[in-house]
Amino acid sequence: MPIVTPLTKLLNIRMPIVQGGMQWVGVPKLVAAVSNAGGLGVLTALTQPSPAALRTAIQETRKMTTKPFGVNITLLPSIKPPDYAGYARAAVEEGVRIFETAGHSPGELIKYFKANGCIVIHKCTTIRHAKSAAKHGVDVLSIDGFECAGHPGEEDIGGLVLLARAAKELQIPYIASGGIADARGYAAALALGAAGINMGTRFMCTVESPIHQNIKEKIVASSEQDTVHIFRTMHNTARVFKNKISMEVVAIERRPGGAKFEDIRELVSGQRGRLVYENGDPDYGIWSAGISVGLINDIPMCEDLLRTMEKGVDEVINDLSSLVVKSKL
Ligand code: NAD
């Protein structure tokens, strides 16, 4: 049975499953595969070297799917601050009408997207930030628990509590993000009042994901113990795969007297991390991964993954319903 929620209605998608806007991963091939499979594919704007390149990526995606897809713009500390407004303008001018924003001070971007009739999903890690984004007029919140890959914020609240709080406090639909990679997580998110789910790491490990096969196999071989936080001391915490480089960064951050960003800059550079996905060496640089790596045991096509999730969520919900009936007897 299809799951129909305010998210599927608003975005005109078959399944309330959103692909997280992942740096170096959210490229046309994956985005089109997710959208064609019935979810929402999301292009990562800053993966493209310029706003002009983003235009080309949007056009390429359109050649591969007629289904809705979105564009992610993430505002975080950067070695070379990107032209956020230029990327936003390029995507709006190319006709994109669904955006995912994330990170610090998104107010101006949200205002721009709303003024242009767009739907905005804002990703955040606290209820306080969610309420503030709602005041800015976003349509949907993506509530990112501590389990997530990349930047979980500094308050370390897991999805279970964060989403239950969201159910009590938020007046607009929200998506559950962080730690979801299977039908049980999907059903749990719905039980927690979410209108859908966001998955990042799970989509990294699909046939259509653009990353090197070795990295996909590394994810399959990993457990939930294989991620670590870097930038904890710099108030820019990021969950990344535990490897030689991330452990070196953590050791530098823990030195007596602490560390400055310059001390780790070469190690953590996104350009270096990008090469992990190209050359397939999991120890070459920093790469994002959520603790959901512990739930990922295969490398399916996106369509098969979403079909399995759809069937699985139905089974979990039915199992739960039968539990209620039994207890009434
Ligand atoms: P980068 O090479 O500029 O930085 C690498 C890492 O260092 C990032 O995690 C960044 O947040 C962090 N960093 C940079 N300057 C810092 C500082 N002064 N203090 C503390 N931490 C600092 O980034 P990149 O990986 O090449 O990414 C390029 C752009 O994409 C950046 O603007 C970044 O914010 C953004 N990004 C997007 C996503 C996404 O999922 N959409 C994820 C990560 C990064």
Side-chain angles (χ1 to χ4, degrees):
M1 293 283 282
I3 302 281
V4 177
T5 74
L7 190 76
T8 56
K9 290 183 196 160
L10 180 70
L11 303 182
N12 192 23
I13 52 177
R14 196 169 63 79
M15 263 180 260
I17 300 183
V18 176
Q19 165 242 314
M22 298 167 278
Q23 186 68 342
W24 315 129
V25 183
V27 298
K29 187 179 168 200
L30 176 64
V31 173
V34 175
S35 289
N36 283 335
L40 184 80
V42 176
L43 275 176
T44 308
L46 305 182
T47 291
Q48 301 301 327
S50 64
L54 177 60
R55 284 182 189 273
T56 308
I58 292 166
Q59 291 159 11
E60 271 177 39
T61 309
R62 286 231 172 85
K63 284 188 197 143
M64 291 184 271
T65 186
T66 53
K67 299 276 169 30
F69 64 91
V71 167
N72 161 287
I73 300 188
T74 297
L75 305 124
L76 289 171
S78 308
I79 293 174
K80 197 166 147 248
D83 173 12
Y84 297 117
Y87 282 98
R89 201 167 46 245
V92 167
E93 285 176 7
E94 285 300 317
V96 173
R97 286 296 171 267
I98 303 174
F99 287 88
E100 180 190 64
T101 55
H104 309 308
S105 308
E108 283 304 307
L109 265 190
I110 294 169
K111 211 157 88 186
Y112 174 72
F113 292 139
K114 290 312 299 174
N116 282 281
C118 302
I119 295 169
V120 182
I121 302 169
H122 182 66
K123 189 184 271 187
C124 48
T125 59
T126 68
I127 299 299
R128 183 166 51 84
H129 287 123
K131 285 183 169 177
S132 156
K135 276 194 196 134
H136 283 301
V138 303
D139 303 273
V140 179
L141 291 152
S142 186
I143 305 291
D144 216 5
F146 192 55
E147 300 87 342
C148 71
H151 295 265
E154 308 304 319
E155 299 193 12
D156 304 3
I157 311 296
L160 205 53
V161 168
L162 209 49
L163 292 163
R165 284 262 291 132
K168 284 188 187 167
E169 303 267 346
L170 303 181
Q171 317 301 325
I172 60 174
Y174 56 92
I175 299 171
S177 183
I180 303 169
D182 62 13
R184 288 190 183 282
Y186 182 10
L190 296 174
L192 284 159
I197 58 169
N198 177 93
M199 300 195 296
T201 309
R202 176 61 272 193
F203 281 118
M204 275 172 80
C205 205
T206 57
V207 171
E208 296 92 339
S209 154
I211 70 175
H212 197 285
Q213 183 70 12
N214 288 355
I215 305 302
K216 297 180 191 176
E217 285 168 11
K218 190 75 186 170
I219 293 174
V220 168
S222 300
S223 84
E224 63 280 12
Q225 314 245 323
D226 287 320
T227 73
V228 67
H229 285 119
I230 58 169
F231 304 139
R232 280 250 89 162
T233 59
M234 298 173 191
H235 303 288
N236 185 32
T237 300
R239 188 187 292 282
V240 299
F241 195 77
K242 195 188 274 181
N243 64 11
K244 278 188 198 146
I245 304 289
S246 54
M247 293 315 284
E248 195 178 335
V249 171
V250 170
I252 294 171
E253 284 195 79
R254 284 182 185 159
R255 276 181 197 157
K260 293 192 286 304
F261 182 70
E262 283 62 40
D263 302 333
I264 54 170
R265 182 192 179 113
E266 294 309 317
L267 293 172
V268 302
S269 141
Q271 288 304 326
R272 181 175 177 150
R274 183 173 61 84
L275 292 177
V276 168
Y277 298 144
E278 272 180 39
N279 65 25
D281 175 0
D283 281 312
Y284 191 80
I286 295 295
W287 52 284
S288 292
I291 56 174
S292 65
V293 287
L295 299 171
I296 297 172
N297 309 116
D298 58 359
I299 309 170
M301 303 272 293
C302 288
E303 198 181 333
D304 294 335
L305 171 65
L306 292 201
R307 203 179 301 118
T308 306
M309 300 264 312
E310 194 172 35
K311 187 166 171 281
V313 80
D314 214 30
E315 284 166 7
V316 176
I317 292 170
N318 279 333
D319 285 354
L320 290 173
S321 313
S322 59
L323 210 61
V324 174
V325 173
K326 273 183 208 147
S327 68
K328 277 185 187 159
L329 291 175

